[in-house]
Amino acid sequence: MATIALEGLVKQYGKATVVHGIDLHIRDGEFVVLVGPSGCGKSTTLRMIAGLEDISAGTIKIGDRVVNEAEPKDRNIAMVFQNYAIYPHMSVAQNIGFGLYKSTLPEREKRARISEAARVLGLDALLDRRPSQLSGGQRQRVAIGRAMVRDPTAFLFDEPLSNLDAQLRAQMRIEIKKLHQRLGKTIVFVTHDQVEAMTMADRIVVMRDGRILQVGTPMDLYENPADIFTARFIGSPAMNLLPARLTADADGVRAELPELGASLTLGRFPRDEVTGSQAFIGVRPHDLVVGRHDGQGLTLTGRVSIVEPLGSETLVHIDVAGIPIIASAPGRAIPKVDDLVGVHALTGSLYLFDAETERALCRV
Amino acid sequence: MSPNDRSLKARHQAFPIHPGRIFTWTLLFLGGVVMVTPILFMLSTSLKDASQVYDLRLIPEAPSLDNYKVVLSDGRFLRWFLNSVIVAVCVTLSNVFFDSLVGYTLAKFQFRGRYLVFLAILSTLMIPTEMLVIPWYLMASSFGWIDSYWGIMFPGMMTAFGTFLMKQFFETVPDEFLEAARVDGLNEFTIWWRVAMPLVTPALSALAIFTFLGNWTAFFWPLIVTNSRELYTLPIGLSSFAVEQAIQWEMIMTGASLATIPTLIVFLLLQRYIVRGVMLAGLKG
């Protein structure tokens, strides 16, 4: 069983603490993605799981075993590195087989495993080549092959796709996901790319400044972000944030957006708590649609500054009273730069965040 | 302007002849001449008979291989040659092994006093050999190593320069290579031997060439530590040959010509690794 449990995990370098007592339980066979900006502690956490970094406090369990003091080789995990770490002086077959260097399996079995890994990864024809004769994607597959042949209990991936071009990255995402479906092994995958996290993960762990901000399924995080950071980090383009002031009257709580000349009826708050407090209204570009709409929600008017046609839709950058926001328009209805356009977001697609704590208050 | 003129102009633009470049090439040419001339004279003299030695023409009037027959039929020369091979090969292998092991440790392991150890090793580079000879001799004498192969070899079995060179090269090896091997279950010695060493082949080749040449031509220490003629290395043997034979230059030049063969072989065998290493370093970007 390859559950991985982190309990109060801390990492300090001298006086600097880079991981602040995180708790995380990864289920057997789960694909978990640690995502966050550079320096958030995600790679350090992964390296602590691998045993490549000592932990300063806390506990790491793989299965039922505490592995705090165990050497990397005794954890039965396999790791794929950002720069592939395949050996330039060995052929593809030797590189893949290197994962079995310490194995006591008979030679025939080793060869069979190398062939099987190469077949699964589409490297059969390249077994005699050197890494210098391979493309970036092929090298990454060799690195994955080396991890596969050992039949580990869990795979750790440290930003393995960040050196690939966009097209290859998309292809490798699918291949890794297929691999996970086929092998059913636990995978912990580190990336700073939210698209990778969204498309591959069973669960995403959002990290910032050495802390876990939120853990959930991709759609959980997209639909119910816990704070502004997660809301803007997950989803592309990032969520628009509009400064608002909460007021209360006889009809309930209202969010006033005086700079944008708009207001919004909320209605779920105890009045005393919110009156006069500052907040942010969040709206995703895909929910803020160009065109008139009579339904309830948020309506804004602004001048188009940039259009980005994507085919299926067009991203429209609009300047609303000096505040830049991004909206979307149906693919064939592309507004012109400098046009004055109205945009509308329906009730239910808006998010309210506390401006002081940056925590999510509710969805409206 | 005709097409020919244009093509000529384009060629001039592609390969402009700067005065600075002419100066550089002239200097390099003169440097080459200075380097090659003694070698050519050595080879030329080895093909002359005794009466022609002071005839400074580069191409002998009646070239002959008689000198080579005489030198090679002298058992002592072959013995000295063999001694030099044994000493140079053993010391080179030892340097390649120990210098790289220590260099790797200093480059890739964090431990208390690491910097101090490195400084201590580096500081030995500042002590001239002449100062070390007496302590070496006393040490060899107290251990009974005088007039033995081990006595000739022990001061050079590991060098500060080699350690420094290997440390610098190992620092360029990405840690991920070593970490990947650690995760794959290799112990530290195997990681060094199987993963790190093949990645620094250019440095190993350079170290091997320098160490081999240094020991092949070593004169001072082997002269001091050896007494019996059977243990002479080639440079000492050739020098004694000169005294004994009342300076027969054609014989000395023949011996010296033969002595260059192993160094040429070592260089030709290993130089491609150095060139390849320089190319890789350039491509790494």
Side-chain angles (χ1 to χ4, degrees), chain A residues 1-3 28 62-64 153 186:
Chain A
M1 190 176 71
T3 57
D28 186 26
I62 297 179
D64 295 328
T153 52
T186 308

Side-chain angles (χ1 to χ4, degrees), chain B:
Chain B
M1 192 187 281
S2 73
N4 274 348
D5 289 343
R6 271 201 295 274
S7 124
L8 209 62
K9 195 177 174 190
R11 199 178 301 167
H12 270 286
Q13 279 168 351
F15 305 102
I17 299 171
H18 297 298
R21 192 168 285 181
I22 294 172
F23 179 72
T24 309
W25 282 105
T26 309
L27 264 187
L28 285 173
F29 176 75
L30 289 175
V33 169
V34 169
M35 294 287 175
V36 169
T37 305
I39 297 170
L40 293 178
F41 266 102
M42 177 183 75
L43 289 171
S44 165
T45 310
S46 73
L47 299 171
K48 295 172 180 173
D49 64 29
S51 63
Q52 290 179 313
V53 166
Y54 295 103
D55 175 1
L56 293 180
R57 274 180 297 186
L58 200 56
I59 298 168
E61 204 170 294
S64 116
L65 292 173
D66 290 348
N67 296 332
Y68 287 89
K69 286 177 193 158
V70 172
V71 169
L72 288 173
S73 59
D74 186 332
R76 289 174 305 172
F77 179 84
L78 292 177
R79 175 75 206 195
W80 298 333
F81 195 95
L82 182 68
N83 288 345
S84 278
V85 169
I86 292 170
V87 168
V89 168
C90 289
V91 175
T92 302
L93 290 178
S94 166
N95 268 268
V96 164
F97 184 83
F98 288 113
D99 291 354
S100 57
L101 195 59
V102 177
Y104 175 73
T105 307
L106 290 172
K108 291 296 176 190
F109 289 90
Q110 304 290 328
F111 55 89
R112 199 182 288 271
R114 178 175 78 132
Y115 191 61
L116 208 65
V117 170
F118 182 55
L119 273 186
I121 292 173
L122 266 194
S123 64
T124 63
L125 280 175
M126 296 166 203
I127 305 170
T129 311
E130 288 77 5
M131 272 183 69
L132 293 169
V133 165
I134 293 173
W136 284 347
Y137 190 85
L138 292 175
M139 190 176 159
S141 176
S142 62
F143 283 111
W145 295 341
I146 300 290
D147 209 25
S148 69
Y149 283 126
W150 181 243
I152 302 171
M153 292 188 291
F154 86 88
M157 297 299 269
M158 199 188 139
T159 63
F161 168 72
T163 305
F164 172 73
L165 180 80
M166 295 314 299
K167 175 186 177 286
Q168 298 307 104
F169 261 80
F170 277 122
E171 278 179 352
T172 65
V173 173
D175 287 339
E176 283 88 345
F177 283 130
L178 316 177
E179 289 173 345
R182 255 170 225 139
V183 171
D184 283 340
L186 273 68
N187 63 39
E188 293 301 329
F189 186 84
T190 319
I191 293 171
W192 167 72
W193 182 248
R194 292 269 310 172
V195 176
M197 286 288 266
L199 296 174
V200 293
T201 314
L204 288 174
S205 306
L207 178 63
I209 289 174
F210 292 145
T211 312
F212 188 89
L213 293 186
N215 281 276
W216 186 257
T217 56
F219 184 81
F220 190 40
W221 174 248
L223 178 68
I224 289 171
V225 82
T226 51
N227 297 325
S228 54
R229 300 176 68 84
E230 288 71 34
L231 275 170
Y232 279 2
T233 54
L234 206 47
I236 304 163
L238 285 178
S239 72
S240 73
F241 208 53
V243 175
E244 200 175 84
Q245 307 282 342
I247 314 191
Q248 286 183 300
W249 286 114
E250 73 284 6
M251 293 300 168
I252 294 174
M253 290 300 135
T254 305
S257 301
L258 288 170
T260 58
I261 293 171
T263 59
L264 281 176
I265 291 173
V266 168
F267 184 76
L268 291 175
L269 278 179
L270 297 180
Q271 62 142 0
R272 64 198 174 104
Y273 294 108
I274 294 183
V275 174
R276 193 194 296 170
V278 171
M279 283 164 62
L280 281 177
L283 286 173
K284 214 181 273 176

